[in-house]
Amino acid sequence: MTITKQGTVTARTLRGLEDGVESVRLRSALAAGTTPDPRLVDKLIERCAVEPGFFVRDMLTWALTRHPVSLTLPGLLREVRSERGRARSQALHTLSKIGDRRAWPAITQTLLSDPDDEVARSAWRAAVVLVPEGEETALAAVLATQLGRGGRETRLSLSRALIALGEMAGPALLAATTARDPRVRAHALATQRLWRDPDAGFEFAVEEAKRVVALGGAGQEGP
């Protein structure tokens, strides 16, 4: 491809990423990943922060993973400190897909307890992917402070993050089964049950945990 033609394609892609029609933005994000171009990186990151379409955001993330980490990492690390929840959430999601552990210092306790559930879920997933060897137990302790939070989707996301840490999450989960808050105890027990029996399903694990809590029971050795 000649320099002139490549420049024309890049310009068309940049315009397409801001088009008012979602399908056009989706195709443009696909094009940005199919033919990576350093000139697209800033725009891709910018669009992640404001793009309303789920599938387009997912394609934007994919497109960013197709570019060199040296180009994408600095911008994404800036975005996790953004005042906009969507910017933080999507940057964290993209960092989890890139999987470069140099991003680990950006996964702060503030992000792991972000009041925006979508941001917190993205931070939990990113943390599990990026956590350095030897830091798993400390991460589990922080994640356990969020037990009992939010609705079904948020609680399931947290349970999956803790389960992904395996046995390193055991002490934090066990401690949470004796918490004063019954919501925390039930969530911890449900997570233990789901870890022991993944086929049981989250809803079954939650209902069983609620029964145990109602009867005054506590947890067992878990992950």
Side-chain angles (χ1 to χ4, degrees):
M1 182 182 297
T2 65
I3 294 177
T4 301
K5 184 177 181 181
Q6 185 177 13
T8 301
V9 171
T10 298
R12 185 166 61 244
T13 300
L14 288 169
R15 289 194 302 271
L17 290 171
E18 295 186 329
D19 197 275
V21 179
E22 183 171 332
S23 61
V24 174
R25 299 197 303 276
L26 183 63
R27 288 196 300 271
S28 297
L30 174 61
T34 302
T35 308
D37 185 329
R39 291 171 292 182
L40 296 172
V41 170
D42 287 346
K43 176 59 69 176
L44 290 169
I45 293 175
E46 176 187 317
R47 284 304 305 175
C48 281
V50 297
E51 172 56 50
F54 171 80
F55 294 108
V56 180
R57 290 199 303 273
D58 215 37
M59 191 66 76
L60 290 167
T61 285
W62 173 78
L64 284 166
T65 67
R66 297 271 295 160
H67 288 77
V69 177
S70 60
L71 297 179
T72 59
L73 194 58
L76 291 170
L77 293 178
R78 286 194 300 271
E79 288 296 282
V80 300
R81 299 188 297 271
S82 171
E83 294 183 357
R84 293 178 293 185
R86 178 163 290 168
R88 298 195 302 277
S89 175
Q90 198 63 26
L92 287 162
H93 174 65
T94 304
L95 288 171
S96 74
K97 295 299 182 182
I98 291 173
D100 192 306
R101 286 184 169 175
R102 286 176 293 179
W104 169 248
I107 312 301
T108 62
Q109 188 164 347
T110 299
L111 283 173
L112 293 170
S113 59
D114 197 287
D116 185 318
D117 284 346
E118 187 175 347
V119 174
R121 289 196 300 267
S122 295
W124 301 337
R125 290 191 293 268
V128 168
V129 171
L130 300 174
V131 61
E133 186 175 352
E135 297 285 341
E136 297 91 346
T137 300
L139 173 59
V142 175
L143 293 181
T145 66
Q146 303 302 299
L147 286 164
R149 166 183 175 167
R152 179 189 181 281
E153 185 178 357
T154 297
R155 295 188 185 196
L156 177 56
S157 182
L158 181 58
S159 291
R160 285 172 172 166
L162 284 162
I163 289 169
L165 293 174
E167 295 181 358
M168 298 299 183
L173 274 175
L174 187 60
T177 63
T178 60
R180 290 184 178 182
D181 190 333
R183 296 171 300 178
V184 174
R185 296 201 305 275
H187 193 183
L189 288 165
T191 303
Q192 286 183 327
R193 174 58 193 267
L194 196 61
W195 181 77
R196 293 192 300 270
D197 183 10
D199 295 331
F202 187 65
E203 299 296 345
F204 178 82
V206 167
E207 292 306 314
E208 182 182 77
K210 287 179 179 178
R211 287 194 295 271
V212 172
V213 169
L215 294 171
Q220 306 173 32
E221 292 292 339

